Amino acid sequence: MSNLEKILNHNKAFVENKEYEQYLTDKFPNRKIVVVTCMDTRLVELLPKALNLKNGDAKVIKNAGAIITQPFGNIMRSVLVALYELGADEVFIIAHHGCGMTGIDPETVVGHMLERGIPDQTINTLRNSGVDLNRWLTGFDNLQDSVEKSVSIVRNHPLLPPNTPVHGLAIHPETGALDLIVDGYQHLK
């Protein structure tokens, strides 16, 4: 049975048995926070438990490395929508130790793309069209610096509501212990 079939079969029983009822909430975060975090599989259940978040408590945005690279990219747009339209009033950037984006080599990623069937011509066309694949696929070398940079992009955004705390943390994916990197309240003084 394929993954799709397994998911659809489970979903049918989930709906028929009304298992969804325990998760009913609305689109506004109860704790009024938006969390930008990594898509790492170890954080799927651990992060909410470590933060004491229940369904409906927070807007959670996930990407590779919890990295905000562009002030006008999709992640920042989602943060602003959460703040302006969905009732959030605080931002948490939460990366994690042992992240797969640590030291990632863009040329290795491109090599894997070629191995999996992306034609050389496509890579060359992108590069000759001004797409900087090395910048786009780069991770980070230092977790603390990465979190601080992402926090800075959010905190200094021209459209961020005034007096919005932007915090930076790192979670240990084995224990859930949090390391505070940036206390967003201190920047409001």
Side-chain angles (χ1 to χ4, degrees):
M1 184 181 301
S2 73
N3 283 326
L4 177 60
E5 291 170 318
K6 289 176 189 175
I7 287 171
L8 291 174
N9 287 340
H10 171 81
N11 180 258
K12 184 176 180 185
F14 180 86
V15 173
E16 286 174 355
N17 297 329
K18 297 185 179 188
E19 292 176 49
Y20 57 85
E21 289 178 348
Q22 64 184 318
Y23 303 107
L24 290 175
T25 187
D26 62 28
K27 64 183 177 181
F28 302 100
N30 297 327
R31 303 232 335 242
K32 299 187 180 298
I33 65 175
V34 57
V35 176
V36 177
T37 193
C38 186
M39 64 185 192
D40 191 290
T41 56
R42 297 171 290 179
L43 303 182
V44 172
E45 291 187 48
L46 179 68
L47 182 81
K49 297 287 187 208
L51 301 178
N52 192 30
L53 294 177
K54 310 282 187 282
N55 197 51
D57 280 349
K59 291 296 182 186
V60 180
I61 303 163
K62 294 184 176 192
N63 72 359
I67 303 170
I68 299 175
T69 57
Q70 301 175 30
F72 291 93
N74 290 337
I75 300 299
M76 192 63 214
R77 180 186 61 205
S78 296
V79 168
L80 291 172
V81 167
L83 293 169
Y84 281 106
E85 299 300 318
L86 301 172
D89 57 17
E90 211 162 332
V91 180
F92 290 76
I93 310 293
I94 306 177
H96 67 94
H97 298 279
C99 183
M101 290 297 284
T102 306
I104 195 168
D105 175 22
E107 288 301 323
T108 300
V109 177
V110 169
H112 293 150
M113 291 174 180
L114 295 169
E115 289 169 8
R116 295 203 42 197
I118 302 300
D120 282 324
Q121 181 181 352
T122 299
I123 301 298
N124 291 331
T125 299
L126 290 171
R127 287 186 168 146
N128 292 326
S129 299
V131 176
D132 185 348
L133 290 175
N134 284 349
R135 180 180 176 276
W136 188 58
L137 295 170
T138 294
F140 54 85
D141 292 322
N142 182 291
L143 177 66
Q144 181 168 331
D145 291 345
S146 177
V147 170
E148 288 173 350
K149 183 177 179 185
S150 291
V151 166
S152 179
I153 288 172
V154 176
R155 186 175 55 234
N156 295 304
H157 198 281
L159 299 176
L160 186 75
N163 299 312
T164 301
V166 182
H167 311 286
L169 299 99
I171 188 169
H172 292 266
E174 296 83 21
T175 66
L178 292 169
D179 297 325
L180 180 62
I181 296 172
V182 178
D183 179 342
Y185 299 129
Q186 294 204 352
H187 292 275
L188 299 179
K189 296 177 183 179

